[in-house]
């Protein structure tokens, strides 16, 4: 599931293709037709489905459409790879312990929107990212893998985001592997 540039989505596909992760990425779900993730999926040969939140009356309806689509595709594990919508119990309970999110902060610090901006505003000298299971508390599910990066003098949002994303691309496949191993 992606809403943005899709770099984490691509990192997952690449990890599978290198056999670092024994999995197949079978479907990309996006909520914006023109997000960068769609172009990456085309290049990588992965099927994309558009689930535009604007064509649903509420979050539950959107999540029901996602669940229906994931069940149809016989999907075992779902990754929110830059999904910028709050998800509901409809999706969470359909994939118990099998719904993973990546967030650009060292949780439990800086939950919610713009974790990178929050870290810069707080003046921390260590930032990072967290791959975690999703529960009903936003950015509050069980932590799977974290990575820390320094905040360097002169960093702005773009430079710190880039440093964090390098680590996201490394830890997200590790987190998926952990979840898959726990499922047997
Ligand atoms: C990632 O940095 C991810 O941590 C963040 O969106 C970015 C998506 O980048 N997710 C959140 O902030 C979720 N709360 P990408 O589209 O290039 O993978």
């Amino acid at each position: 599931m992606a809403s943005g540039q899709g770099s984490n989505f691509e990192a997952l596909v690449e990890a599978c293709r290198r056999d670092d992760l024994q999995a197949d990425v079978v479907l990309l779900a996006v909520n914006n037709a023109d997000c960068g993730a769609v172009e990456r999926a085309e290049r990588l040969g992965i099927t994309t489905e558009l689930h535009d939140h604007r064509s649903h009356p509420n979050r539950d309806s959107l999540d029901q459409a996602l669940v229906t689509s994931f069940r149809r595709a016989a999907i075992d594990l779902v990754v929110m790879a830059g999904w910028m919508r709050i998800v509901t119990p409809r999706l969470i309970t359909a994939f118990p312990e099998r719904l993973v999110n990546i967030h650009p902060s060292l949780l439990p610090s800086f939950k919610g929107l713009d974790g990178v901006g929050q870290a810069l505003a707080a003046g921390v000298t260590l930032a990072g990212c967290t791959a975690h299971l999703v529960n009903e508390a936003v950015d509050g599910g069980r932590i799977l893998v974290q990575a820390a990066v320094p905040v360097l003098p002169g960093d702005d949002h773009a430079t710190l985001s880039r440093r964090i994303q390098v680590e996201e691309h490394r830890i997200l496949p590790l987190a998926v592997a952990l979840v898959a191993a726990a499922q047997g």
Side-chain angles (χ1 to χ4, degrees):
M1 297 164 64
S3 305
Q5 287 309 308
S7 69
N8 279 285
F9 157 73
E10 181 160 1
L12 279 175
V13 174
E14 294 298 338
C16 295
R17 292 188 176 171
R18 283 195 308 269
D19 226 17
D20 287 350
L21 176 60
Q22 275 79 54
D24 287 318
V25 179
V26 294
L27 182 67
L28 171 71
V30 298
N31 64 312
N32 287 311
D34 57 357
C35 72
V38 173
E39 282 169 35
R40 290 185 198 251
E42 271 168 25
R43 175 163 48 76
L44 294 163
I46 308 280
T47 304
T48 300
E49 278 189 17
L50 173 64
H51 294 277
D52 192 333
H53 56 282
R54 287 156 293 208
S55 50
H56 289 273
N58 52 45
R59 295 186 199 280
D60 184 71
S61 165
L62 170 65
D63 284 1
Q64 181 57 61
L66 290 166
V67 170
T68 302
S69 146
F70 296 160
R71 291 226 163 102
R72 195 187 307 123
I75 281 166
D76 297 313
L77 190 155
V78 179
V79 180
M80 292 163 56
W83 183 254
M84 302 309 280
R85 311 289 307 168
I86 290 174
V87 294
T88 68
R90 183 77 58 191
L91 180 64
I92 297 165
T93 58
F95 293 92
E97 306 279 306
R98 290 177 292 139
L99 180 60
V100 175
N101 183 44
I102 183 80
H103 183 76
S105 79
L106 290 172
L107 291 173
S109 292
F110 312 134
K111 296 177 177 177
L113 283 179
D114 194 11
V116 176
Q118 292 186 59
L120 284 169
V124 295
T125 57
L126 266 186
C129 50
T130 304
H132 64 95
L133 286 172
V134 176
N135 66 10
E136 287 174 41
V138 174
D139 299 325
R142 182 156 61 80
I143 290 170
L144 297 165
V145 187
Q146 294 186 297
V149 302
V151 182
L152 299 178
D155 261 346
D156 59 18
H157 200 283
T159 57
L160 182 56
S161 292
R162 272 199 292 279
R163 196 173 306 119
I164 290 173
Q165 282 216 328
V166 169
E167 293 304 307
E168 289 187 343
H169 301 163
R170 190 175 64 80
I171 71 167
L172 188 53
L174 292 175
V176 171
L178 275 180
V179 171
Q183 297 293 320

